[in-house]
Amino acid sequence: MSTIKISELATGTVSSESLLAFADVNGLASKGTIKQVIGNYVVNSLLDFDSLILNASTGVWMVISDITLDANKTIPAGVTLQFRNAKINLGGFTLTGTDTKIDAGLTQIFDKNASVEGLNVEATYPQWFGAVGDGIADDTESIRSAYSASINVIFPSGEYRTTSTITFDESYTQLDFNENARIFPDGTHTGVVIGRPSPIPTRMKINRLKVDRRSYQAATIGILFLEVNQSTF
């Protein structure tokens, strides 16, 4: 039997792991049933997710089972999505946050082509959208989705294979590549395009971008710079 000390409940110092174990042992995470444990909601189904949206529930929503959306969804203000070895499959729909925070490791929490808006995060990671970074899997859409969700993207160590051009063209973009991270264009396409002719993006900051082709391809471009202003590379 999982136990939580009364003192922990009173002070709010109980860990997320303890809360999740407590909810599981005490039947609080049963399918289709939402239970609040010290301001944390256990989400085990789409019904749970929809009910929290309907009730504009604030706090931490602990997603413990994979969810597939059946329509566009908007998360109310004051919510942190905490992913516990689970993900939200958007299925072509849009998930709109209201300054929504994300609590997750470097694991997949959305599908590759996910349309996610309104996040309040310092940065997104391609891994959140299914990137593998092993030089074999196609990480093209994962990178695009991460950049669409936030113009601040962190690339952990890895070899990100792409099969079409990746474009970074928004003002105030910040990309931070680990020193052992690189993009591998697999084909004759231009690897990365930075900037655009109009409107010209400004104040972009890109750290340690590396583009390496798998093999030499004549008349191909690794990085193509278009118009940018007041930017650092």
Side-chain angles (χ1 to χ4, degrees), residues 54-55 76 100 108 162 169 217 233:
L54 180 63
N55 294 322
T100 302
Q108 184 174 3
T162 63
D169 60 0
Q217 301 280 354
F233 305 101

Side-chain angles (χ1 to χ4, degrees), residues 53-66:
I53 291 174
L54 180 63
N55 294 322
S57 302
T58 61
V60 177
W61 299 7
M62 293 193 296
V63 183
I64 64 172
S65 294
D66 291 356

Side-chain angles (χ1 to χ4, degrees), residues 19-71:
L19 285 172
L20 194 59
F22 179 82
D24 181 60
V25 170
N26 290 279
L28 303 184
S30 58
K31 187 175 181 61
T33 302
I34 299 174
K35 293 293 182 179
Q36 187 179 20
V37 186
I38 321 303
N40 293 260
Y41 290 91
V42 177
V43 182
N44 195 43
S45 70
L46 181 60
L47 177 60
D48 291 347
F49 196 70
D50 286 343
S51 296
L52 288 171
I53 291 174
L54 180 63
N55 294 322
S57 302
T58 61
V60 177
W61 299 7
M62 293 193 296
V63 183
I64 64 172
S65 294
D66 291 356
I67 296 171
T68 299
L69 301 190
D70 59 356

Side-chain angles (χ1 to χ4, degrees), residues 36-123:
Q36 187 179 20
V37 186
I38 321 303
N40 293 260
Y41 290 91
V42 177
V43 182
N44 195 43
S45 70
L46 181 60
L47 177 60
D48 291 347
F49 196 70
D50 286 343
S51 296
L52 288 171
I53 291 174
L54 180 63
N55 294 322
S57 302
T58 61
V60 177
W61 299 7
M62 293 193 296
V63 183
I64 64 172
S65 294
D66 291 356
I67 296 171
T68 299
L69 301 190
D70 59 356
N72 295 331
K73 308 286 183 181
T74 299
I75 299 172
V79 172
T80 296
L81 290 178
Q82 183 182 92
F83 291 86
R84 311 294 296 179
N85 297 316
K87 64 180 183 292
I88 298 177
N89 300 304
L90 274 66
F93 296 107
T94 298
L95 181 63
T96 302
T98 308
D99 286 331
T100 302
K101 297 180 180 180
I102 300 292
D103 181 359
L106 290 179
T107 59
Q108 184 174 3
I109 59 175
F110 301 113
D111 42 337
K112 282 180 175 287
N113 296 298
S115 176
V116 182
E117 305 171 352
L119 299 182
N120 179 7
V121 295
E122 292 185 2

Side-chain angles (χ1 to χ4, degrees), residues 4-223:
I4 294 179
K5 296 179 180 178
I6 297 299
S7 60
E8 290 179 325
L9 296 177
T11 61
T13 58
V14 61
S15 69
S16 296
E17 289 76 11
S18 295
L19 285 172
L20 194 59
F22 179 82
D24 181 60
V25 170
N26 290 279
L28 303 184
S30 58
K31 187 175 181 61
T33 302
I34 299 174
K35 293 293 182 179
Q36 187 179 20
V37 186
I38 321 303
N40 293 260
Y41 290 91
V42 177
V43 182
N44 195 43
S45 70
L46 181 60
L47 177 60
D48 291 347
F49 196 70
D50 286 343
S51 296
L52 288 171
I53 291 174
L54 180 63
N55 294 322
S57 302
T58 61
V60 177
W61 299 7
M62 293 193 296
V63 183
I64 64 172
S65 294
D66 291 356
I67 296 171
T68 299
L69 301 190
D70 59 356
N72 295 331
K73 308 286 183 181
T74 299
I75 299 172
V79 172
T80 296
L81 290 178
Q82 183 182 92
F83 291 86
R84 311 294 296 179
N85 297 316
K87 64 180 183 292
I88 298 177
N89 300 304
L90 274 66
F93 296 107
T94 298
L95 181 63
T96 302
T98 308
D99 286 331
T100 302
K101 297 180 180 180
I102 300 292
D103 181 359
L106 290 179
T107 59
Q108 184 174 3
I109 59 175
F110 301 113
D111 42 337
K112 282 180 175 287
N113 296 298
S115 176
V116 182
E117 305 171 352
L119 299 182
N120 179 7
V121 295
E122 292 185 2
T124 56
Y125 300 83
Q127 283 77 4
W128 285 359
F129 299 85
V132 180
D134 62 354
I136 299 173
D138 185 353
D139 292 330
T140 309
E141 295 305 323
S142 301
I143 295 172
R144 287 178 178 150
S145 294
Y147 186 59
S148 177
S150 171
I151 57 174
N152 298 340
V153 183
I154 294 176
F155 290 78
S157 176
E159 299 177 355
Y160 298 87
R161 174 176 169 262
T162 63
T163 54
S164 59
T165 300
I166 300 294
T167 299
F168 301 115
D169 60 0
E170 295 293 334
S171 292
Y172 301 99
T173 289
Q174 291 193 41
L175 308 178
D176 191 6
F177 288 80
N178 178 279
E179 61 181 10
N180 294 317
R182 62 194 66 200
I183 292 178
F184 274 86
D186 190 1
T188 59
H189 60 279
T190 296
V192 173
V193 172
I194 297 175
R196 61 181 175 221
S198 179
I200 299 173
T202 185
R203 291 180 170 83
M204 301 177 73
K205 185 176 181 180
I206 302 178
N207 296 323
R208 297 185 295 268
L209 170 61
K210 303 182 186 72
V211 177
D212 289 336
R213 291 198 174 274
R214 289 187 164 275
S215 60
Y216 174 75
Q217 301 280 354
T220 56
I221 299 173
I223 303 175

